[in-house]
Amino acid sequence: METIIALYIDLEDEETEEDKQKKVYSYWDQTPDILLEEIFSYLTIRERYYASLVCRSWYRAFKLQNVWSTFTLEDTTLTRGKFNYYSGWQYVLDHMRTSTCLNKVGRNFRTLIFEPMLNFYNLYEFMNMVSWYTERQGSDNTSVAGVGTYIRRLRFTFPCNMANRDDPDRIRLFGTGGKLLEALKRLMRNLQNLRCLELIDLMLDSKEALHLMDDICVICTQTLSKLVLINTTRYYCPLLHIGVFLNLNTLVISPQNLHEDVIDLIGYTKLEHLHIVQNRYSPKDTTMRLPKRSSWIKMKKNNPYLKVHFEVESHKPTDILLPIDLLEHGGIPCHSIVLDNPNTQISSTTILAHGTFFESTLKVYAFKGLTRYFLHRNFAERLDEALVQFCRMCPNLHTLVAFCV
């Protein structure tokens, strides 16, 4: 019968030489801190806690700075079970646990990510707690200095699709606002060292959207380098605030928030990459229009190094993709087009039209994923020939991704 030998990770100070000879030790406790930081950064908060109980070396790694550089809030993060007579057991934010977390490692946060959450109470309370710690900065015995001071990136995604999650193709859109929007604006106002701000699927009312960026414009005019505003509003509403950020390098925005005046303001910034993005919740109908040709020509004159990238995600066969007109939008310095529309059949005419519009600037042309429709068996009526012609039309093209099955 084989004997079972236990593998010990850590050495005990009180062990005798005889005990040490009888036990088999590993060297996991001698893993360099730089590797432990990388490993711990991929774990959830619960998993980090359990890992810290393994040995003294891992306990020390639990509090290393890079382990907590990115903090992601989800529905069950820092929560406790609470029974509700109407809804049963629910995950409710544990304020004591959250306070302990912010006191111990809050000063190490560099990136704050809010994933789509259905528990708005937890989201609202956590944002207010971070804002409170940032405002206090250790001025009393209940807070510590440094929380929020070093956060460079804020990513907030609102769960705008309230349809049943069991039916992924169904979409029922609702926007945020009210107290939740107030908490978000308060948080943004307190994060005065932001370099990257990402607001996704807020679907605000036009009146609320016009004042969304007021505080950010005051505190981050010269520091913000990347701004993501995807579906800030559901309908057409130009956002002029983006022209205030003088050192902006990358701007990701939806078409419904662009206007000739916005393009004109962009020309006076140091912007290098303008991503015009439509995700699955963006409107894709005849009301969507890009700014006129004159504004693009003026922008190129003031900012000749700017590159425009189109990214479209669609799941409906009836969606209208890239509302581009040859006479109006031929002057756009488009460098890439990425289409993620497995249910929408792309015609050869559309592909050749894209090549005609942007033949001198286009470098990347991609179809993401596999198509969910059947192509014609006749080779002459498939997209293969059109793609070959497209490559010949665009001499600067260096990346082509297409699945023609």
Side-chain angles (χ1 to χ4, degrees), residues 120-121 123-128 131 156 158 175-187 189 204 208:
F120 293 159
Y121 170 79
L123 178 60
Y124 174 79
E125 288 294 310
F126 183 83
M127 287 194 294
N128 279 332
S131 297
F156 181 92
F158 182 73
T176 185
K179 293 294 184 180
L180 199 60
L181 180 60
E182 290 180 7
L184 175 60
K185 293 172 68 174
R186 179 189 177 190
L187 178 62
R189 181 170 60 249
L204 296 175
E208 294 178 323

Side-chain angles (χ1 to χ4, degrees), residues 159-170:
C160 63
N161 186 13
M162 298 298 176
N164 191 340
R165 290 192 172 185
D166 296 332
D167 187 5
D169 294 330
R170 187 182 179 189

Side-chain angles (χ1 to χ4, degrees), residues 359-371:
E359 59 181 358
S360 61
T361 59
L362 196 61
K363 296 182 179 180
V364 177
Y365 195 70
F367 296 94
K368 296 177 65 175
L370 295 173
T371 58

Side-chain angles (χ1 to χ4, degrees), residues 135-147:
E135 293 165 355
R136 294 280 180 168
Q137 288 300 322
S139 59
D140 52 24
N141 295 328
T142 59
S143 63
V144 295
V147 177

Side-chain angles (χ1 to χ4, degrees), residues 12-232:
E12 297 292 341
D13 296 333
E14 300 178 356
E15 288 183 347
T16 63
E17 289 296 332
E18 184 179 355
D19 293 334
K20 293 179 181 180
Q21 292 178 359
K22 293 180 180 179
K23 297 180 180 179
V24 179
Y25 294 94
S26 72
Y27 295 96
W28 281 102
D29 62 317
Q30 301 178 23
T31 305
D33 287 351
I34 190 172
L35 294 180
L36 287 176
E37 281 185 324
E38 185 70 18
I39 295 172
F40 271 62
S41 65
Y42 290 103
L43 304 180
T44 64
I45 296 179
R46 183 183 296 273
E47 291 169 344
R48 291 174 190 173
Y49 169 73
Y50 288 142
S52 68
L53 303 178
V54 171
C55 62
R56 285 169 291 186
S57 176
W58 289 20
Y59 177 77
R60 187 186 70 255
F62 177 79
K63 298 182 179 180
L64 293 176
Q65 178 177 328
N66 290 339
V67 172
W68 298 94
S69 61
T70 299
F71 186 88
T72 302
L73 185 72
E74 297 175 328
D75 276 318
T76 58
T77 305
L78 298 174
T79 58
R80 57 181 175 85
K82 183 178 181 180
F83 185 78
N84 186 299
Y85 284 102
Y86 297 97
S87 305
W89 285 98
Q90 292 180 318
Y91 290 104
V92 180
L93 188 73
D94 190 329
H95 292 81
M96 291 298 297
R97 188 177 299 176
T98 304
S99 179
T100 302
C101 176
L102 293 176
N103 282 324
K104 297 293 184 180
V105 297
R107 63 173 66 88
N108 297 331
F109 294 170
R110 299 295 182 270
T111 299
L112 194 56
I113 299 176
F114 294 93
E115 294 292 347
M117 296 174 56
L118 296 180
N119 195 324
F120 293 159
Y121 170 79
N122 292 352
L123 178 60
Y124 174 79
E125 288 294 310
F126 183 83
M127 287 194 294
N128 279 332
M129 289 190 68
V130 175
S131 297
W132 185 85
Y133 270 84
T134 307
E135 293 165 355
R136 294 280 180 168
Q137 288 300 322
S139 59
D140 52 24
N141 295 328
T142 59
S143 63
V144 295
V147 177
T149 305
Y150 305 105
I151 293 180
R152 299 291 184 265
R153 179 191 175 204
L154 173 64
R155 178 186 176 93
F156 181 92
T157 305
F158 182 73
C160 63
N161 186 13
M162 298 298 176
N164 191 340
R165 290 192 172 185
D166 296 332
D167 187 5
D169 294 330
R170 187 182 179 189
I171 296 178
R172 293 180 59 201
L173 297 181
F174 292 88
T176 185
K179 293 294 184 180
L180 199 60
L181 180 60
E182 290 180 7
L184 175 60
K185 293 172 68 174
R186 179 189 177 190
L187 178 62
M188 292 191 298
R189 181 170 60 249
N190 287 312
L191 303 181
Q192 301 187 7
N193 294 309
L194 281 179
R195 300 293 183 271
C196 175
L197 175 62
E198 304 176 36
L199 304 176
I200 302 172
D201 294 336
L202 297 185
M203 298 291 181
L204 296 175
D205 180 78
S206 297
K207 294 181 180 179
E208 294 178 323
L210 292 177
H211 302 284
L212 173 66
M213 306 288 292
D214 288 351
D215 297 324
I216 293 295
C217 289
V218 175
I219 63 178
C220 298
T221 302
Q222 297 183 356
T223 59
L224 203 66
S225 61
K226 182 177 180 180
L227 178 61
V228 178
L229 298 173
I230 300 177
N231 294 335
T232 302

